[in-house]
Amino acid sequence: MHRFIIVGGGAGGLELATRLGDRYVSGKRRSPPRVQVTLVDRYPTHIWKPLLHEVAAGSMDPFTQELEYAAQARWHGFEFQQGELTGLDRGAQRITLAPIIDADDGAELLPARVLEYDTLVLAVGSTTNFFGVQGAAEHSFALDSVGQAERFRKRLIAACMRAEHRVYEHAEAVADGVAVPSDASDALSEASGGPGVARTHAGPCIQVAIVGGGATGVELSAELRSTAQVLAAYGLHKLDPRTDIGIVLIDSGPRILPALQERVSNATTELLLKLGVQVMTGEAVAEVTPSLVRTASGKTVRADLTVWAAGIKAPAILSQLDGLPVNRLGQLNVRQTLQSEIDDNIFALGDCAACVWPGTGHNVPPRAQAAHQQASFLLRALACRLDGKPLPSFTYRDFGSLVSLGHFSAVGNLMGGVIGGNMLIEGLFARFMYMSLYRLHIAALHGYPRMVLDTFAHWLRRSTVPRVKLH
C-alpha cells in the first residue's frame, strides 16, 4: 500500500486529498485499496482563504461556511490527522507533528506523532510578510486565519461603539456649556445642540488603514464600507457610515492591483473613490504604531485599526525541513513536475511552492486558480507515479483575475481559454463570475449536486439573517 501524506488543508491540499480518496479508496471496491491517503492540518476545519476578507468585514459568518476535515475524510476515504508540521526526516521518509494543546486549560490532547510516507505533498500555504517594517507585526492585523479575521471584526465593532460614545459625550458637553479639551479626540470638532444633531468633523471618528493594494486589501476596503452601512442600519452605531468611518488604502507601488492590467487597476480605483475610500499610492510604509501609519516620505496616516495585506511569504517551517531548498520568500523550489529539486518523493503545490512559469520570467502566481490547477495536475501525476510511468510537466494557464468590491460591484479580466482573448469585465457579470469561483471550489470538494444544494441552503440562510454579523 502506497502511503500519501498531504500537509496542509487549504484549497489545493484538500482538493487533492478528496480526489485521491475518491479515486483509490472510497466507493464500491472488490479489492483492497492500493493507497492510503492522509491529510494533515493544524486546524480542525477548512475555509476558503479568499473569503477571509469577508469574515473580517463581518459579511460572512465563518461557522456557516467552514468544513470539518474529519467529516470530509469520512465521506471521501482519506484519513485526517490534526497537528502542526515540525520536522522531516527524508532518509527515513517520515514527518513529525507537534502535540495538540487545549487552548482553554493547556492540557495535552494529543502527543507529538511521527507519520511515515512514500509520497509527501506539502501544501502549507502562505503567511503575511511584514518585510521587517517597524511595528507592523505588533500593531496591525493579518488575515491568515479565521481567528485573526474574527479578532479584527470584533475590534472594528468595538471601535465604532466607542467612537459613537465619544461623539455623544462631546455633544452633551458642548450643549451644557462644559469646556472640552482640544485633544479629547483627534477625529472630532465642535458639536452643538446635543446628541443626534448635525455636526462637523475635522476627520472621521474612526479610521481604518489597509496596507497593501493587492486583491485582499482592495476587497477588504470595499467590504468595510458596506459593513459600516449595515452596522448603522441595525443601530450598532449612529455614525455616518461614509464620513465618520474613514478607510485608507496604502500601497508602495504606482497603482493598486499591480498583478492585473492597468485598465483593471484604474477601473477599481475609480470605484473605490466613489465609495469614499482614500487611495494612497507610491507610499511605502516605514512604521506602524497603535494609532498611526508613517510612510517613508514622512507622511502620517491616522489609524485606529491597521490591516497588513502587503505581501506573503511561505511558513518558516519550510526552511527547516532537512535541507529542502527554498527561495528568498521561503517557498520550496520545485521542478516542473512539482517535485522538490533534491527529493523525488516530496512534492509541493500552492502558495508554498516556487514553480517556474515558462516564458514569463516569473514563478506561478500564488492564486487559488493555480492551487486548483496544481491539485488536478498532481492527481494525474501521482497516478503515473503509482504505475511507474514518467511524470508529466505542469503547465499553468492564466484564466484572468477577478476582484470583488462587496455587493457594490466587481472588476477583473478574463483571459485565455475562457473567451479566447483578454477582456475587461465589471458590474453584475463580474460579480457573478467572482461568486462562481467559490461555488467551483465547493463542487471540487463535494460534487455538483451537493454544491447546488449547499448554494440553495446558504441562500435561504442569508434571507433570514442580517447581511453582517453583529456580535
Side-chain angles (χ1 to χ4, degrees):
M1 182 176 292
H2 193 97
R3 298 163 298 182
F4 289 109
I5 292 182
I6 303 166
V7 182
L14 183 57
E15 285 187 22
L16 180 60
T18 297
R19 297 174 71 178
L20 283 173
D22 286 341
R23 173 172 289 190
Y24 295 109
V25 183
S26 65
K28 297 180 180 179
R29 308 185 61 87
R30 295 183 179 180
S31 59
R34 297 174 58 189
V35 306
Q36 179 185 45
V37 181
T38 302
L39 176 67
V40 175
D41 197 273
R42 61 188 298 186
Y43 300 111
T45 59
H46 161 85
I47 190 168
W48 201 44
K49 194 171 182 179
L51 297 178
L52 287 179
H53 74 279
E54 296 188 27
V55 176
S59 53
M60 173 173 288
D61 185 345
F63 304 109
T64 66
Q65 299 287 342
E66 65 184 8
L67 183 152
E68 295 190 26
Y69 290 121
Q72 185 75 358
R74 172 69 178 83
W75 296 331
H76 296 276
F78 63 89
E79 297 181 7
F80 172 63
Q81 288 274 355
Q82 185 179 352
E84 183 176 2
L85 177 67
T86 57
L88 166 68
D89 186 334
R90 293 194 293 115
Q93 293 187 203
R94 62 189 183 189
I95 62 172
T96 304
L97 304 183
I100 302 296
I101 306 299
D102 191 300
D104 294 327
D105 59 15
E108 184 177 272
L109 302 178
L110 288 174
R113 287 144 290 154
V114 173
L115 304 180
E116 297 181 343
Y117 66 87
D118 297 300
T119 297
L120 175 65
V121 180
L122 296 173
V124 294
S126 59
T127 61
T128 297
N129 190 348
F130 294 102
F131 300 101
V133 173
Q134 182 178 350
E138 296 82 6
H139 304 304
S140 60
F141 293 86
L143 297 181
D144 292 324
S145 66
V146 171
Q148 291 174 333
E150 276 283 279
R151 179 168 165 260
F152 170 80
R153 183 188 63 80
K154 292 177 180 178
R155 288 282 298 274
L156 174 65
I157 293 176
C160 289
M161 296 174 71
R162 284 196 300 268
E164 182 190 1
H165 182 65
R166 290 198 303 268
V167 171
Y168 182 91
E169 287 189 327
H170 185 99
E172 282 203 331
V174 172
D176 293 339
V178 179
V180 180
S182 59
D183 60 348
S185 172
D186 292 336
L188 300 178
S189 65
E190 291 187 358
S192 61
V197 302
R199 59 185 187 276
T200 59
H201 297 297
C205 296
I206 176 174
Q207 184 150 281
V208 180
I210 302 172
V211 181
T216 298
V218 169
E219 291 177 335
L220 178 62
S221 63
E223 287 286 350
L224 288 179
R225 178 59 71 214
S226 176
T227 295
Q229 295 176 355
V230 175
L231 293 178
Y234 279 91
L236 267 72
H237 66 76
K238 294 182 176 61
L239 305 175
D240 186 300
R242 188 178 182 92
T243 60
D244 288 339
I245 299 178
I247 302 170
V248 182
L249 183 63
I250 308 170
D251 194 85
S252 61
R255 60 183 178 89
I256 62 173
L257 299 177
L260 303 185
Q261 292 184 339
E262 186 172 356
R263 57 177 180 168
V264 177
S265 173
N266 292 338
T268 305
T269 301
E270 290 180 7
L271 287 169
L272 290 178
L273 293 176
K274 291 179 181 178
L275 296 177
V277 176
Q278 182 183 353
V279 179
M280 295 178 59
T281 55
E283 294 289 347
V285 173
E287 182 185 7
V288 179
T289 76
S291 59
L292 61 83
V293 172
R294 183 174 289 109
T295 69
S297 66
K299 294 181 181 179
T300 58
V301 178
R302 174 180 158 236
D304 300 285
L305 298 170
T306 301
V307 178
W308 192 273
I312 63 170
K313 63 179 180 178
I317 184 61
L318 288 182
S319 61
Q320 306 167 16
L321 294 182
D322 201 3
L324 292 179
V326 298
N327 66 3
R328 62 183 180 82
L329 295 178
Q331 297 169 304
L332 188 67
N333 291 324
V334 298
R335 294 167 270 172
Q336 294 305 121
T337 57
L338 300 188
Q339 291 170 295
S340 166
E341 290 182 333
I342 63 172
D343 195 322
D344 290 346
N345 298 318
I346 298 178
F347 295 73
L349 66 87
D351 292 2
C352 73
C355 178
V356 174
W357 187 3
T360 66
H362 304 288
N363 288 335
V364 174
R367 299 179 185 170
Q369 63 172 304
H372 171 73
Q373 291 180 38
Q374 290 173 338
S376 298
F377 166 81
L378 281 180
L379 184 67
R380 301 190 304 272
L382 295 180
C384 294
R385 180 173 169 84
L386 285 175
D387 296 335
K389 299 178 181 178
L391 300 186
S393 295
F394 172 69
T395 301
Y396 173 65
R397 298 180 64 190
D398 188 357
F399 292 108
S401 298
L402 295 167
V403 177
S404 170
L405 299 177
H407 74 278
F408 301 107
S409 184
V411 296
N413 64 309
L414 299 183
M415 299 175 60
V418 176
I419 59 169
N422 191 332
M423 180 178 69
L424 170 67
I425 61 173
E426 58 182 304
L428 290 177
F429 178 65
R431 179 67 177 157
F432 172 77
M433 293 293 293
Y434 182 88
M435 294 171 63
S436 298
L437 297 178
Y438 178 55
R439 293 296 132 198
L440 290 174
H441 173 62
I442 296 298
L445 298 180
H446 301 302
Y448 282 93
R450 289 189 62 182
M451 181 272 286
V452 173
L453 290 175
D454 179 82
T455 302
F456 183 66
H458 281 94
W459 177 80
L460 286 178
R461 175 176 174 79
R462 289 188 70 88
S463 66
T464 60
V465 298
R467 274 196 6 239
V468 169
K469 193 175 180 184
L470 303 178
H471 63 279

